[in-house]
Amino acid sequence: MSRLFTRSLTPLFVFFFLSHAWSQGCSDAGFCTMGAMKPDQPYSKKIALKLRSMEINFYRGTTTLTPIVYVATADLNFSLNTKTSFQVKLPYQAVKGRLATTQGLGDISLCLTRNIFTSEKYDINFSVGGKLPTNNSNKHDNEGNPLPMYYQTSLGTYDFITGISFISRKWLFATGVQIPFNRNGNQFLWSNWNPDSSPDELAYVHEYSPAKELRRGTDVMLRIERSFRFSRLNFTAGLLPIYRIYHDEFTDATGQRVRPDGGMGLALSATGTAGYSFNVRSGIKLLVAHKIVNREYRGDGLTREFVTTFGYYYRF
């Protein structure tokens, strides 16, 4: 009777969480969902967790302007031995906004994670990896105008990523760094837009930050997360500060490299997840968050107003 009662309440719990959830997810350049830095990591010494898994998740994010971003991701994890695993993330992204509709394969994430310490009370894991661009971030609209980064399906840079996490039954603490190695090929400047466009369209174009040959600054993140786990249901709540410790740079209309004001500093989100396990092998999860603090310059197009990610995982 109690099992039937729990099953009947599960949809209500998920609906309640979604309806009252925070309104923006992780809009960083990718490392907050990789390896030791990802949210909602299970911890159990009683059940031997399967070290290989496949997760398919679907993401919808509205931005601070008109673009809406949709991403379907295959997140694959393979165990190399009992302490080491390898993660591959393959996203397909589509963006629909006032200026254009774009789609294509997103940046590929690769990450090696190693358990470097384990005890009855906590684990410490270390990750190293990177992101590979699938294009040079230079998609145009139908009239040949270069599009802002909001509409690009790739960040256009090779990035190095590393991080470490502390996981116990109730807490997750993780920190990591992401370092871009190169400029991308984006050509968006206000002056590069068709001057014959309507005044309304030109005014709207000026709401996007210029990003020609953008080179993002280095990001450092910290994840603080408290988990609440039951037999089948689990929830987490936490904070995700990401600090850009070096200036973004782009090339202006005169050919000079510019470091815009507001390109450094803190972006802070409150995060939350909800999950339901069908059995020890499979389950579903929901990830949401709310952006509390954002940087002023947003040439990379990563700012989100509302994000929901829903996923299904299978361990084997």
Side-chain angles (χ1 to χ4, degrees), residues 219 242-244 262-267 293-298:
D219 286 331
I242 302 173
Y243 200 93
R244 187 153 292 179
M264 291 177 58
L266 178 68
V293 178
N294 209 344
R295 289 180 288 269
E296 180 181 351
Y297 171 76
R298 296 185 286 273

Side-chain angles (χ1 to χ4, degrees), residues 147-258:
L147 290 167
M149 287 297 297
Y150 282 76
Y151 293 86
Q152 305 299 329
T153 58
S154 169
L155 290 173
T157 58
Y158 293 88
D159 296 358
F160 171 76
I161 293 169
T162 188
I164 193 168
S165 65
F166 168 96
I167 308 171
S168 69
R169 289 181 175 84
K170 294 183 178 180
W171 291 98
L172 165 64
F173 299 95
T175 185
V177 61
Q178 180 164 355
I179 306 172
F181 287 136
N182 60 292
R183 308 175 185 179
N184 66 24
N186 189 267
Q187 296 297 306
F188 176 72
L189 291 174
W190 300 331
S191 59
N192 287 348
W193 201 262
N194 183 359
D196 296 328
S197 300
S198 68
D200 286 346
E201 182 174 86
L202 290 175
Y204 177 69
V205 166
H206 277 69
E207 295 185 35
Y208 292 91
S209 298
K212 182 178 180 180
E213 298 173 355
L214 176 69
R215 180 166 186 168
R216 303 186 332 274
T218 296
D219 286 331
V220 175
M221 63 149 282
L222 174 66
R223 182 184 294 283
I224 305 168
E225 190 175 272
R226 174 66 161 88
S227 63
F228 306 87
R229 299 188 182 276
F230 308 96
S231 59
R232 290 183 180 269
L233 289 165
N234 65 82
F235 304 92
T236 70
L239 291 173
L240 179 65
I242 302 173
Y243 200 93
R244 187 153 292 179
I245 62 174
Y246 192 74
H247 284 282
D248 291 345
E249 294 183 352
F250 70 91
T251 302
D252 68 11
T254 68
Q256 300 296 311
R257 294 296 289 175
V258 176

Side-chain angles (χ1 to χ4, degrees), residues 42-83:
Y43 177 89
S44 175
K45 297 299 181 182
K46 295 181 179 180
I47 301 174
L49 292 175
K50 305 293 182 179
L51 295 179
R52 295 178 298 276
S53 68
M54 174 188 69
E55 180 176 335
I56 304 297
N57 59 64
F58 301 93
Y59 164 108
R60 181 185 185 274
T62 56
T63 66
T64 53
L65 296 169
T66 62
I68 300 175
V69 182
Y70 303 90
V71 186
T73 302
D75 189 344
L76 310 175
N77 289 268
F78 308 93
S79 61
L80 304 182
N81 53 51
T82 56
K83 288 184 173 289

Side-chain angles (χ1 to χ4, degrees), residues 111-175:
C111 189
L112 186 72
T113 299
R114 172 80 175 176
N115 173 252
I116 59 176
F117 182 84
T118 186
S119 72
E120 287 299 317
K121 294 184 176 180
Y122 63 90
D123 287 343
I124 298 177
N125 298 323
F126 174 77
S127 291
V128 61
K131 293 192 70 177
L132 306 177
T134 53
N135 61 68
N136 66 354
S137 298
N138 193 27
K139 291 182 179 293
H140 292 61
D141 70 2
N142 293 333
E143 297 180 358
N145 294 307
L147 290 167
M149 287 297 297
Y150 282 76
Y151 293 86
Q152 305 299 329
T153 58
S154 169
L155 290 173
T157 58
Y158 293 88
D159 296 358
F160 171 76
I161 293 169
T162 188
I164 193 168
S165 65
F166 168 96
I167 308 171
S168 69
R169 289 181 175 84
K170 294 183 178 180
W171 291 98
L172 165 64
F173 299 95
T175 185

